[in-house]
Amino acid sequence: MTQIRQIWNSLKFVSDCSSLTEEQVKAITPILKDEAQAREVKRIQYLLMRSGIKKIKRLDDFDWKFNPGLPRNEIMSLCQSSWGTDIKNAVLIGPSGVGKSHLASAICYQAIQKGIPTAFITCFDLVNKLKRSSSKYTMTQYYSSVKLLCLDELGYVFPSQEQANDIFQIISKRSEIASTIVTTNLVPSQWGKIFEAATATAILDRLSLNGKFITCEGRSYRSKK
């Protein structure tokens, strides 16, 4: 009971640490550390919930041996990025099933563990969200400003001209202020299949700024199942 009273007295004066005795500091420090850790856990849980990641995927779970030709060093270099402060773009290019989405999702998950606000969404879902949103401006602003955005599966849906413009506006607004990861089955010269030539060029130009285009080749992991 005496210890609880001491802790309570310490908490009352925590705003003025200079007034605390050494005994009070020792008593209150573990409590403050536990509180800080609990808040950080809640924050990460909140960021994960908002991220759009439907199933957690980790780099430790990725089978690099199945496709030994994948650019592992380049991918791991991305994982070490400080997405909250470093503005980087990455485009993972390759056929369906080689693990692009797994890798991108794992990178996003790592960023969330560092407390970085992240959004992971397929191109199909983004187009539909923007189309159905009661406030497209608010949604566009969110995806334009979140610290790390992964636009997954670009090339599997053919957006209308208006939808393509929305995608361009998001990527354009992110340029120089936030990081973007794109996964796609199309090499840059084929982006004219889903966007008008001028729009495709403009998007590629912005992703090229502080960006890497990483080719992922190999067999489909789905063939293992």
Side-chain angles (χ1 to χ4, degrees):
M1 194 70 180
T2 302
Q3 186 180 13
I4 293 174
R5 189 178 294 108
Q6 288 176 338
I7 292 171
W8 171 248
N9 290 333
S10 299
L11 286 170
K12 288 194 296 183
F13 298 102
V14 72
S15 59
D16 183 12
C17 296
S18 61
S19 66
L20 298 179
T21 65
E22 184 177 347
E23 185 179 352
Q24 287 174 325
V25 170
K26 287 182 179 179
I28 197 173
T29 297
I31 296 175
L32 295 179
K33 284 184 178 179
D34 288 345
E35 176 65 19
Q37 289 174 353
R39 289 189 179 189
E40 184 63 16
V41 168
K42 286 183 179 179
R43 181 167 182 264
I44 289 173
Q45 288 175 339
Y46 173 76
L47 291 176
L48 185 59
M49 179 187 69
R50 279 188 58 86
S51 70
I53 294 176
K54 297 174 182 177
K55 183 178 180 181
I56 294 174
K57 295 183 179 179
R58 300 177 175 85
L59 285 169
D60 291 343
D61 301 326
F62 193 76
D63 185 2
W64 295 97
K65 294 180 180 178
F66 185 76
N67 280 327
L70 285 174
R72 183 172 184 174
N73 289 340
E74 289 187 85
I75 299 295
M76 297 307 293
S77 176
L78 282 178
C79 296
Q80 303 304 318
S81 297
S82 300
W83 298 104
T85 53
D86 296 341
I87 308 304
K88 291 185 178 181
N89 298 317
V91 181
L92 306 184
I93 307 165
S96 176
V98 295
K100 304 184 302 298
S101 295
H102 183 136
L103 293 169
S105 180
I107 291 171
C108 288
Y109 179 70
Q110 277 200 347
I112 290 170
Q113 297 306 300
K114 298 175 184 177
I116 298 168
T118 301
F120 182 93
I121 189 168
T122 65
C123 186
F124 176 82
D125 286 342
L126 177 60
V127 165
N128 278 296
K129 274 193 171 186
L130 290 169
K131 184 166 59 177
R132 298 174 182 175
S133 176
S134 59
S135 177
K136 187 167 75 169
Y137 174 80
T138 300
M139 185 164 291
T140 300
Q141 285 299 106
Y142 170 70
Y143 286 110
S144 297
S145 59
V146 65
K147 282 293 185 180
L148 175 59
L149 169 66
C150 178
L151 184 57
D152 192 33
E153 296 183 348
L154 181 70
Y156 293 92
V157 63
F158 293 84
S160 66
Q161 185 173 347
E162 180 182 357
Q163 293 163 350
N165 183 61
D166 290 337
I167 294 172
F168 166 71
Q169 291 299 327
I170 289 171
I171 292 177
S172 180
K173 288 180 179 180
R174 296 182 61 77
S175 181
E176 299 187 60
I177 66 166
S179 299
T180 306
I181 298 174
V182 174
T183 74
T184 179
N185 62 326
L186 301 176
V187 296
S189 62
Q190 296 176 320
W191 284 31
K193 292 181 178 181
I194 53 175
F195 302 112
E196 290 187 348
T199 303
T201 300
I203 290 175
L204 287 166
D205 180 61
R206 283 154 178 77
L207 290 174
S208 297
L209 184 65
N210 298 321
K212 283 187 175 184
F213 288 74
I214 302 173
T215 301
C216 301
E217 297 178 332
R219 297 171 290 165
S220 172
Y221 284 90
R222 298 184 185 98
S223 65
K224 295 173 62 179
K225 299 178 180 179

